């Protein structure tokens, strides 16, 4: 039954898994032709995937429209993340930072969103004071020991980039206490000491 929405979704996903993105896009376009009046997450996924395809083809308007019109969608998180990746690949730091900032603002209670922004700011050397606030918030929001240790590492990295060496060492020691077997955290401590 070529008009069955669930079958169309499964077929599009199979094409995606085979990296046949044009074929998947054809299915998504057909889905939107038949079900454009629906706002279910299945249909929103089609909208999202086509908008991301447009973005990577150099057309930003579709993803901006998607984010504005479907701001409630579960694909908003992915959309901001993919936008940041795209702008990074284009060496467009201003729009990359803006995408990550919007991600952290759209998901203020998500540890991963806060950490993504903060860590990338350490790599870019931008907005470090804001990155510290987001990293500290992410630590409080972390759901498990592994995630918490990872975000504590981000906080320590931000402190180090800010020239606050003693605090960076103190904070990375918290990550080491949470995951003493993690060699990376030990290396971070050595880096901060040096």
């Amino acid at each position: 039954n070529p008009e069955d929405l669930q079958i169309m979704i499964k077929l599009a996903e199979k094409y995606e898994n085979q990296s046949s993105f044009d074929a998947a896009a054809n299915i998504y376009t057909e889905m939107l032709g038949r079900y454009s009046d629906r706002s279910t997450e299945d249909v929103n996924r089609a909208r999202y995937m086509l908008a991301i395809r447009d973005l990577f083809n150099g057309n930003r308007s579709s993803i901006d429209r998607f984010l504005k019109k479907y701001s409630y969608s579960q694909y908003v998180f992915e959309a901001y993340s993919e936008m940041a990746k795209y702008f990074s690949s284009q060496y467009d730091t201003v729009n990359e930072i803006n995408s990550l900032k919007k991600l952290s603002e759209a998901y203020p209670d998500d540890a991963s969103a806060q950490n993504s922004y903060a860590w990338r700011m350490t790599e870019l050397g931008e907005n470090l004071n804001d990155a510290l606030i987001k990293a500290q918030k992410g630590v409080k929001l972390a759901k498990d020991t592994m995630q918490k240790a990872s975000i504590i590492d981000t906080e320590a990295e931000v402190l180090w980039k800010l020239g606050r060496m003693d605090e960076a060492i103190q904070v990375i020691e918290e990550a080491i206490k949470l995951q003493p077997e993690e060699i990376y955290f030990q290396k971070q401590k050595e880096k901060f000491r040096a």
Side-chain angles (χ1 to χ4, degrees):
N1 183 356
E3 295 183 14
D4 185 298
L5 179 61
Q6 294 308 311
I7 291 173
M8 292 175 88
I9 291 165
K10 287 180 183 177
L11 181 58
E13 288 173 352
K14 293 236 182 249
Y15 280 131
E16 283 177 48
N17 292 337
Q18 295 175 348
S19 298
S20 299
F21 299 113
D22 288 338
N26 290 337
I27 300 292
Y28 288 133
T29 301
E30 189 177 336
M31 280 174 60
L32 291 179
R34 293 174 195 254
Y35 302 103
S36 63
D37 59 333
R38 293 193 190 177
S39 290
T40 65
E41 286 304 291
D42 291 334
V43 177
N44 284 341
R45 185 171 196 280
R47 291 181 178 105
Y48 159 72
M49 293 301 290
L50 290 173
I52 287 298
R53 181 175 179 236
D54 284 352
L55 177 67
F56 278 86
N57 286 328
N59 177 3
R60 181 180 174 170
S61 61
S62 297
I63 196 68
D64 287 339
R65 231 181 358 264
F66 174 81
L67 289 167
K68 187 174 183 180
K69 191 168 182 181
Y70 303 101
S71 60
Y72 59 86
S73 174
Q74 70 186 40
Y75 296 102
V76 168
F77 191 106
E78 287 179 53
Y80 282 124
S81 297
E82 287 298 316
M83 285 177 72
K85 287 179 195 172
Y86 169 75
F87 290 126
S88 175
S89 75
Q90 300 299 304
Y91 305 101
D92 183 347
T93 305
V94 171
N95 279 312
E96 179 188 2
I97 291 170
N98 190 38
S99 299
L100 290 169
K101 187 167 184 129
K102 285 183 178 179
L103 171 66
S104 71
E105 291 168 353
Y107 294 90
D109 297 325
D110 187 289
S112 179
Q114 304 308 306
N115 190 52
S116 292
Y117 170 82
W119 183 258
R120 187 62 178 141
M121 293 309 104
T122 68
E123 293 176 328
L124 296 171
E126 298 283 343
N127 304 333
L128 293 174
N129 289 315
D130 190 36
L132 182 59
I133 292 166
K134 300 273 197 301
Q136 290 169 336
K137 186 175 184 182
V139 170
K140 290 177 186 170
L141 294 168
K143 294 188 181 346
D144 58 50
T145 303
M146 186 180 292
Q147 185 183 44
K148 188 171 187 171
S150 177
I151 302 173
I152 287 171
D153 171 55
T154 300
E155 180 185 357
E157 185 79 12
V158 175
L159 288 165
W160 180 68
K161 292 278 184 166
L162 287 168
R164 294 161 62 176
M165 310 310 177
D166 292 339
E167 290 174 82
I169 292 167
Q170 204 173 16
V171 168
I172 199 65
E173 284 175 349
E174 292 175 36
I176 292 168
K177 284 178 192 171
L178 289 173
Q179 290 196 299
E181 70 288 348
E182 183 58 60
I183 295 168
Y184 171 75
F185 297 147
Q186 300 287 346
K187 289 182 178 179
Q188 283 286 81
K189 185 176 177 180
E190 290 170 19
K191 178 177 86 174
F192 300 155
R193 281 185 170 158

